[in-house]
Amino acid sequence: MGPRRLSRIHWPAAAAVGALTLAGLSWSETAKAENTIGVDVSFNNTLSDEGEKGAGLDLYFGPRMDLGLLALTTELSGGFHDFGGDLDPTVYRGMAGGRLGLFTIIRPSIFAHIGVG
């Protein structure tokens, strides 16, 4: 994949991240919103005799607006995952998206993210 192809992929993603960031910041100014922070830690171990291990970490941040029974959260996240093994693949990613939840105690949610990895 040449430099021209790579730049075509990054511009739409950067525009989406920028738009969601501005929307999230403006919502926290005008509505009752609280900032949420999340951490997702993962560990993987293969079933092979070599015992190849890996781990990952994702950080999430975004304002959440409570709208009665609905909760709308915009999220920015970044993370990395190291899968171990002979090739030792490591993946870095950044994503932006939103989450729409229903009810308050048990909150089923629908979410969508777009990102670059």
Side-chain angles (χ1 to χ4, degrees):
M1 187 183 288
R4 296 190 128 205
R5 175 76 176 137
L6 193 58
S7 66
R8 289 181 192 159
I9 293 172
H10 286 289
W11 284 111
V17 168
L20 288 171
T21 302
L22 290 175
L25 292 174
S26 65
W27 283 337
S28 63
E29 295 286 329
T30 59
K32 290 187 178 180
E34 56 186 34
N35 289 324
T36 58
I37 297 173
V39 177
D40 183 12
V41 179
S42 62
F43 174 78
N44 58 292
N45 188 5
T46 62
L47 298 175
S48 66
D49 293 335
E50 290 85 27
E52 299 162 345
K53 298 177 176 145
L57 176 71
D58 284 306
L59 300 173
Y60 300 91
F61 171 78
R64 181 179 68 204
M65 288 192 323
D66 287 322
L67 307 169
L69 291 178
L70 293 175
L72 178 63
T73 306
T74 55
E75 294 178 338
L76 294 176
S77 70
F80 75 93
H81 294 271
D82 179 19
F83 294 100
D86 293 336
L87 300 176
D88 195 26
T90 302
V91 176
Y92 298 92
R93 68 181 184 177
M95 294 193 305
R99 178 182 311 264
L100 181 64
L102 185 63
F103 305 121
T104 56
I105 296 175
I106 297 176
R107 183 174 282 161
S109 300
I110 298 172
F111 60 92
H113 292 95
I114 185 171
V116 177

